[in-house]
């Protein structure tokens, strides 16, 4: 009897495997026919089925899967079926989470729809996955120019201003302020001033995803990624000890815009004073 049961199970598994292979084969043929007929939505659905049934085929069908995805996404975009478009990209990125071409394409759709900060995140990921991907690099710098205000570039090139900040931070650190929080760090320049001045612990928060990624690159380029903790957070959302271990002894910021209150600077500084900054004894 045991031998009979064992043989039954073997035959059953063999039958299932044969059925799987047949379904995969037929779905691949159907996908190819749909591509030839420019029925991209159906082709995409067939490729999804194939990749879920036979993940071992990911490499061999990658290019045709991408083609069906991109063409179908264009149709969905033209029909204003935005949620369906995003759903397709989410499915694709579940199957190919580290595919720079899909990430870049997702970013392009987000950018066209006005989601520039989110688009920058996908472009940045594509560049990280493949530093030689020219289209992704061009897209990232293009969206960064949209997101980074022109005054920010002027500010960064203001030598007098930067020297004044540097001296002020140096004076504070040399007076005993060893833990520093940089609110709205931007490119991270004030955080790096604090670390170069000798601060033992430097934390920096930045709400914009694009600026946060730029700050990470700038800090890493200056070999300070282990010495400055960057937080993709609004200062009002920073919690102790979840994000930083304890209150800091110095807060630095350059978030004042032309309207003074445009970036919530007053609320940020009140929050820092009450919750994040060491109180005077």
């Amino acid at each position: 009897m045991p031998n009979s049961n064992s043989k039954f199970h073997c035959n059953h598994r063999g039958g299932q495997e044969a059925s799987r292979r047949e379904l995969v084969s037929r779905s691949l043929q159907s996908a190819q026919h749909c591509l030839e007929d420019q029925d991209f939505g159906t082709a995409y659905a067939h490729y999804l089925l194939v990749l879920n049934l036979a993940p071992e085929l990911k490499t061999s069908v990658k290019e045709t899967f991408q083609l069906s995805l991109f063409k179908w996404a264009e149709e969905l975009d033209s029909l204003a079926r935005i949620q369906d478009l995003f759903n397709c990209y989410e499915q694709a990125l579940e199957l190919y989470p580290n595919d720079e071409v899909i990430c870049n394409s997702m970013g392009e759709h987000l950018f066209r729809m006005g989601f520039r900060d989110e688009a920058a995140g996908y472009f940045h990921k594509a560049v990280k996955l493949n530093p030689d991907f020219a289209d992704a690099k061009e897209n990232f710098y293009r969206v960064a120019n949209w997101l980074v205000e022109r005054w920010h570039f002027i500010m960064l090139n203001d030598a007098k201003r930067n020297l004044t900040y540097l001296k002020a931070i140096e004076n504070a650190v040399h007076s005993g302020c060893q833990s520093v929080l940089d609110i709205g760090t931007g490119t991270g320049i004030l955080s790096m001033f604090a670390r170069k001045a000798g601060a033992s612990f430097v934390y920096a928060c930045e709400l914009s995803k694009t600026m946060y990624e730029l700050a990470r690159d700038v800090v890493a380029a200056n070999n300070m990624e282990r010495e400055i903790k960057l937080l993709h957070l609004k200062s009002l959302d920073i919690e102790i000890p979840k994000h930083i271990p304890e209150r800091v002894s110095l807060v630095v910021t350059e978030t004042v815009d032309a309207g003074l209150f445009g970036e919530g600077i007053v609320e940020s500084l009140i929050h820092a004073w009450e919750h994040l900054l060491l109180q005077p004894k």
Side-chain angles (χ1 to χ4, degrees), residues 28-259:
L28 280 173
Q29 291 176 6
S30 297
Q32 189 59 46
H33 290 152
C34 289
L35 281 178
E36 293 170 358
D37 294 338
Q38 297 188 351
D39 183 359
F40 301 115
T42 307
Y44 173 75
H46 279 299
Y47 279 121
L48 278 184
L49 177 61
V50 168
L51 290 168
N52 279 287
L53 287 174
E56 67 274 12
L57 296 179
K58 280 185 179 181
T59 301
S60 60
V61 303
K62 181 178 176 179
E63 289 188 8
T64 47
F65 171 76
Q66 287 178 344
L67 175 62
S68 65
L69 167 66
F70 300 154
K71 291 294 187 180
W72 178 227
E74 288 176 7
E75 289 188 19
L76 292 173
D77 193 4
S78 68
L79 296 169
R81 291 172 56 182
I82 306 306
Q83 190 56 56
D84 289 335
L85 185 154
F86 287 147
N87 289 341
C88 287
Y89 273 97
E90 287 176 4
Q91 293 168 336
L93 287 169
E94 285 180 6
L95 292 166
Y96 297 95
N98 295 317
D99 187 278
E100 69 273 19
V101 178
I102 295 176
C103 286
N104 183 64
S105 180
M106 175 66 159
E108 290 175 338
H109 282 287
L110 287 166
F111 183 78
R112 285 196 294 270
M113 294 173 191
F115 301 106
R116 290 169 181 159
D117 207 24
E118 294 83 353
Y122 281 97
F123 293 145
H124 188 265
K125 181 179 179 180
V127 173
K128 287 292 185 183
L129 290 168
N130 182 1
D132 296 324
F133 191 3
D135 287 349
K137 286 197 289 187
E138 181 180 345
N139 284 333
F140 179 70
Y141 292 128
R142 178 162 57 101
V143 74
N145 284 331
W146 276 91
L147 291 167
V148 181
E149 300 287 350
R150 292 185 182 275
W151 59 261
H152 197 87
F153 294 107
I154 297 172
M155 182 180 70
L156 288 173
N157 287 284
D158 187 341
K160 183 177 179 180
R161 166 203 169 275
N162 293 338
L163 183 60
T164 302
Y165 263 102
L166 176 60
K167 288 182 176 179
I169 291 171
E170 284 178 343
N171 289 338
V173 172
H174 295 164
S175 297
C177 295
Q178 287 299 303
S179 55
V180 181
L181 172 63
D182 179 6
I183 295 177
T185 191
T187 56
I189 187 170
L190 299 186
S191 296
M192 291 187 290
F193 283 171
R195 185 67 191 94
K196 287 182 177 180
S200 301
F201 306 99
V202 181
Y203 312 98
C205 64
E206 175 57 55
L207 180 60
S208 166
K209 177 68 172 175
T210 304
M211 294 306 300
Y212 167 75
E213 296 291 358
L214 284 172
R216 288 182 61 187
D217 289 344
V218 171
V219 168
N222 285 273
N223 299 314
M224 292 187 184
E225 65 269 31
R226 295 184 179 180
E227 301 167 347
I228 298 173
K229 182 177 181 180
L230 286 164
L231 303 167
H232 180 217
L233 284 172
K234 190 176 182 179
S235 62
L236 297 172
D237 296 329
I238 296 176
E239 298 177 16
I240 298 172
K242 182 178 179 181
H243 301 115
I244 61 178
E246 57 188 2
R247 291 180 179 228
V248 298
S249 52
L250 176 66
V251 170
V252 297
T253 187
E254 176 53 291
T255 52
V256 181
D257 68 1

